[in-house]
Every structure is written in structure tokens, then in C-alpha cells.
Amino acid sequence: MTGILYHGQPNGPSFTVLAAAFEKGVDLDLRAIDLVAGERHSTALPHPLEVDQSIEGEGPVLVVDGVAMTDSVFLACYLDELGSGPAIRPADPYARWQMMAWCRYVIERVAPAAAALGNAAAPPLGVPAGIASADLEGRWKNAVEGKADDSQLADSRTKIVQAVEKVEAQLADGRDWLMGDFTIADLESHAWLAGMRGIVPEAFASAPLTDAWGARLRARPAVARALGLATIAHPETIWAPGPEINRWG
Amino acid sequence: MTDVTLYHWEPNANSGKPMLALFEKGVAFDSHYLDLLNFDQHKPDYLAVNPLGTIPAMKHGDLVLTESTAIMEYVDEAFDGPRLMPADPVDQWRTRWWMKFMDQWLAPSFSMIGWSVFVGPSVRQKDPAELEAAIDRIPMPERRVAWRKAINGAFSPEEMAESQRRVGLGIGYLEEALGQRLWLASDSYGLADINGFNLAYAIPLSQPHLCNDELTPNIMRWLRAIYARPATRACWALGRTDLARRISLLESEPA
Ligand SMILES: N[C@@H](CCC(=O)N[C@@H](CS)C(=O)NCC(=O)O)C(=O)O
């Protein structure tokens, strides 16, 4: 049975999952929804716990045989198992650990910062009805009302600067991709950093390796196809509330 | 001597995840106990292993690994022994979903409560100058804030209430999931259960009004089943404090 992928503009988590599906040659029934209008919370989608309490916030939902799955990195792992295209995870256990630890860093430190900055730059117009998670609803309210905490925004900019430094350092040995071979880590890093060029330009001021890596990534046919699904000129400027900024430490 | 060294604190939370995974796989390892309450994790010897100054970390030969959940996946893949990641791709997805949900939503709320009632009070009586110096050595700015709040009893009522709200909801979600399946993410015991047990083994003691035989029979069944496993017994035997000893509450018979 063909899975159904509900996705937003090819930015953030929707970008990762669309590109991973194309890389792997997995045939999906693609259904574009407006994440910024809150369509993910409509009754047209299934609402099990894993959709309503996804840590990722407004990310894509993949429904296969009645199971609704969320969280882009894990959806990409699932597509890697399923599809026939070249692997997008290393086979060696240590290299795979490196990829998962890298993705965890992006998920936990970079994505919340990017989502906070993206929403502050382009706030959604209203809080959609039907949000099951009170903390996600709180992030929507803050985004709509432009109530971003200055110290959090400043720290988020620092997080983006650090992330680009980390990418630059990782590529310093001349490798093409973050883990050596092309992997989900490349997709997930680009997913959250692409939109930061306009918002935190200083992070990219002297990052030639990151620039070249981004260009290489966008030249991949599967990535180009994912970006080609955009219905606006600059999908990387479109944001809906994402993962929360770590409240513990 | 083995070629695996694990740097850990009590079998509890993040430390306990790779510990229990190693025991389940039957992998012998050198245990390197760090006393979190003595700030061992911020001392130069350990920062040479994990510059972030958080526990656990693992060495396998020359390789160094951090991030407890990612370490568990590595342990499962790199060593022989029973598979702890389910074979079905949807079950693998569910395993990872639950681990992330616990690592990034539920566990931090338990931590805030635990640090405010246990960790903070346990170190507070030390010499203030010594404590200040210890905090200055913490590499991550976020953690310096958390330690200061724990020591000064300065978690705000709002953030404590939010943590308690999440704990209450999270217990409900666990009960619901365990009502649908034998184990948390699939029909076989695996990484999500190991992760979840480290988070939840003491909830019947710390949140008795929310988690007990009457209200959450599936959580209780699950905790007792994990406690009955030889690997769990062997793992918790490495505990040195009352924190790990809380596990004995699972010796009780179902009400
Ligand atoms: N994401 C890391 C977090 C590790 C972590 O924060 N460990 C705690 C103990 S459970 C710690 O080291 N706390 C002491 C400190 O931060 O000083 C993992 O899962 O390994």
C-alpha cells in the first residue's frame, strides 16, 4: 500500500522527509498542507499520540497502513529501510552512531533555535483551532503575538553561528558530505540552516565550505525535486512553530 | 579487562540506559563510576573523554561515544547478543519516537523535580566558595543555570508546575501505550523499554498518587516484568546510593 505524506513547504522537517523519500525512490501519495495555517491539526489527518505530541512541532506526517508517523529524522530512517535507492545511513555501527548523535544535536539545539528565529521573523497570522498539546499551543500563541524572549533569541543566534562553525569544521578535511558519504545528517542540517542565511547572515559570512556543501546538496536530483514542490519563491522563509527551546539544560 | 569502558553514575536516567543495554547484550565492560554529586563529570580527567561534561560516555577500543540513546543503538548494532531494536521498520520508528519523547519532553520534567528535591539538597551544604568554583567549571552554559537553580532552590513555581503537568500527562501516555502492546514500542522487549525503565522505575514511589496498581496497572506490569530480568538485577547491583535502591519497590506484589 502507498503511504500518504502530509507535508508543508520544503523547509525544515518537511524538506528532510520529501528529499529522503525521493533519494530512496519511495513512492508516496504527497498531500501538501498549509502548516502555517494549522492544517496539521484539522480532522482530515489522524491524531494519535505520536502526531499530537510530536517533539518536532509542525512537521510532516506519514501514514502507512493506518499508522501515522512523525519526526523527520526517524521518518527518514524508516524510508531508508523501505526504499531501494542508495543507503542514506552509514552501515558501520560507529559511523551510524556519529550520524545519529549529529542529528540529535541538530534536533535538540539547532532546530529549536531556527524555529524561534524563523517564527519571530515571519509570525503566523493566528493560532489554529484543535491543537492537542498545550505546550505547542503556547508556542503558537507566543509566535502569533510576537512574544519572543530577547535572551532566547540572542541565544538562538549564537546556536546558529555555532552550528555553521560545526558544519565548517566537519567539512574541513575536504569531504563532500558531513559523515563522509551522503546521509540524513546532510538533509536535516540543511533543512534547518537554509532559512538562517537571511536571518543570521553573520553566521555565513565566512563559511565557504558550508556554501559549497549547500550548493552540492541542492544539485542532487532528489533534493532539487523536493525543493521543486515549493508553491512560493522562497520556501526557506516559511515557518510554523517547531520544537521548543530546551527548558531544562 | 575488556575493550569497553563505560563512564556512568547510578543506574538511573541517562547513565542507566547504556548500562542496561550492555547487560542485556551480555557485553562485559569496565565500569568507571563518576559521582555526579561530587561534580566528577566536570573534572579534567573526564572532560578529556567528554568535553561537554555530561554522563554517560563509552569507550570501545579507541572510539569514544556520548549521547545515551545513540550509544544504546550502537551497543545493539556493534555487539552480538539478543537484538534490542525490533526488526519491523514501523516498530523501529516507534522505538525512536518514544525514546525522543522521553529524552526531550518527559525526562527533563522528571529531572527538574529530581534536581529540586534530591540533587540540590544533597550538595547544598558544601562550602559556598567550593560550589561556586565547581559551577564555574561546567562547560555548558545551560547546565550552569540548572545547577545554580538546584543549589539555590530557585526553580520557579511556574516551571515546577509545568514539569508536574508533563509528568502527569506522560504517565497517562505510557499507561495508554502499554495498554495497547506488551512492550512500549513493539511486541518484543527492546531499547524503548530500557530507556523507559530508567525514566520510570521509581515513579510508583515518587508519584504514588499518579502511578499505582489501581490507576496504572499496565505501567506496573511493565516495570515488574523488566525488574524480573536478570540483566536488570545485575545492572542495579552497580548502584551505590539510595537513588538506585528505590528499585526494590518493584518487589511488591500486584495489589
Ligand atoms: N543527552 C545526553 C544528556 C546527558 C546528561 O545530561 N546526563 C546527566 C545525568 S543523567 C548529567 O550528566 N548531569 C550532570 C551535569 O550536567 O552536571 C545523554 O542522553 O547522554
Side-chain angles (χ1 to χ4, degrees), chain B residues 201-248:
Chain B
Y201 72 95
I203 325 182
L205 199 69
S206 65
Q207 306 283 334
H209 55 298
L210 296 175
C211 183
N212 54 53
D213 280 309
E214 216 169 298
L215 282 177
T216 57
N218 288 299
I219 294 181
M220 296 304 296
R221 157 187 70 74
W222 174 68
L223 292 178
R224 288 192 180 99
I226 300 174
Y227 182 60
R229 300 175 72 87
T232 312
R233 301 299 175 102
C235 183
W236 259 259
L238 295 186
R240 299 184 184 179
T241 72
D242 287 344
L243 194 73
R245 269 175 232 127
R246 295 178 301 171
I247 200 170
S248 61

Side-chain angles (χ1 to χ4, degrees), chain A residues 104, chain B residues 13-14 36 41-42 54-56 67-68 115 143 147:
Chain A
R104 166 71 186 256
Chain B
N14 292 322
L36 181 135
Q41 68 277 21
H42 310 133
T54 59
I55 325 175
E67 280 301 340
S68 55
W115 279 48
R143 290 302 165 91
W147 270 107

Side-chain angles (χ1 to χ4, degrees), chain A residues 68 118 121 170 187 228:
Chain A
Q170 187 76 3
L187 293 177

Side-chain angles (χ1 to χ4, degrees), chain A residues 49-51 53-56 67-71 74-75 77-78 81-82 89 91-94 96-97 100-101 104 107-109 134-135 155 159 244 246-249, chain B residues 63-67 70-71 73-74 77-78 89-90 92-94 96-98 100-101 103-105 108-109 111-112 115 140 142-143 146 155 159 162-163 165-166 173:
Chain A
L49 176 74
E50 293 89 344
V51 171
Q53 304 298 330
S54 164
I55 298 294
E56 195 161 68
V67 182
M69 301 183 270
T70 56
D71 284 86
F74 310 150
L75 292 179
C77 292
Y78 169 80
E81 290 281 333
L82 218 67
R89 282 179 298 173
D92 168 68
Y94 183 71
R96 206 175 259 219
W97 168 81
M100 291 305 272
R104 166 71 186 256
I107 288 170
E108 189 175 19
R109 304 287 172 195
D135 35 293
D155 186 56
K159 291 281 188 294
E244 78 180 341
N246 198 317
R247 55 189 286 278
W248 164 239
Chain B
L63 306 174
V64 180
L65 300 92
T66 56
E67 280 301 340
I71 297 175
E73 287 211 36
Y74 173 83
E77 288 171 13
V90 172
Q92 292 178 3
W93 161 79
R94 195 182 294 105
R96 295 192 176 106
W97 189 95
W98 269 102
K100 179 177 176 183
F101 177 73
D103 289 351
Q104 294 187 237
W105 194 85
S109 298
S111 289
M112 194 182 288
W115 279 48
M140 282 165 72
E142 288 89 348
R143 290 302 165 91
F155 291 108
E159 59 187 341
E162 175 61 7
S163 291
R165 180 186 76 87
R166 293 186 186 201
Y173 298 151

Side-chain angles (χ1 to χ4, degrees), chain B residues 63-228:
Chain B
L63 306 174
V64 180
L65 300 92
T66 56
E67 280 301 340
S68 55
T69 292
I71 297 175
M72 286 202 296
E73 287 211 36
Y74 173 83
V75 166
D76 189 40
E77 288 171 13
F79 299 100
D80 293 336
R83 284 292 295 188
L84 298 172
M85 180 62 95
D88 176 64
V90 172
D91 290 341
Q92 292 178 3
W93 161 79
R94 195 182 294 105
T95 296
R96 295 192 176 106
W97 189 95
W98 269 102
M99 295 199 292
K100 179 177 176 183
F101 177 73
M102 294 189 287
D103 289 351
Q104 294 187 237
W105 194 85
L106 196 47
S109 298
F110 275 110
S111 289
M112 194 182 288
I113 296 170
W115 279 48
S116 116
V117 303
F118 173 72
V119 173
S122 306
V123 301
R124 215 167 272 162
Q125 73 292 348
K126 292 189 202 231
D127 173 45
E130 194 188 311
L131 278 177
E132 209 36 53
I135 291 174
D136 282 341
R137 278 194 298 270
I138 301 176
M140 282 165 72
E142 288 89 348
R143 290 302 165 91
R144 285 199 287 274
V145 172
W147 270 107
R148 281 220 168 79
K149 285 186 181 175
I151 289 169
N152 301 328
F155 291 108
S156 73
E158 292 77 24
E159 59 187 341
M160 290 298 287
E162 175 61 7
S163 291
Q164 189 61 46
R165 180 186 76 87
R166 293 186 186 201
V167 162
L169 280 176
I171 290 172
Y173 298 151
L174 284 171
E175 177 64 16
E176 195 187 313
L178 290 164
Q180 287 164 10
R181 278 178 294 276
L182 195 52
W183 300 101
L184 189 50
S186 74
D187 290 331
S188 57
Y189 180 69
L191 296 179
D193 303 295
I194 294 176
N195 187 317
F197 186 76
N198 275 284
L199 170 81
Y201 72 95
I203 325 182
L205 199 69
S206 65
Q207 306 283 334
H209 55 298
L210 296 175
C211 183
N212 54 53
D213 280 309
E214 216 169 298
L215 282 177
T216 57
N218 288 299
I219 294 181
M220 296 304 296
R221 157 187 70 74
W222 174 68
L223 292 178
R224 288 192 180 99
I226 300 174
Y227 182 60

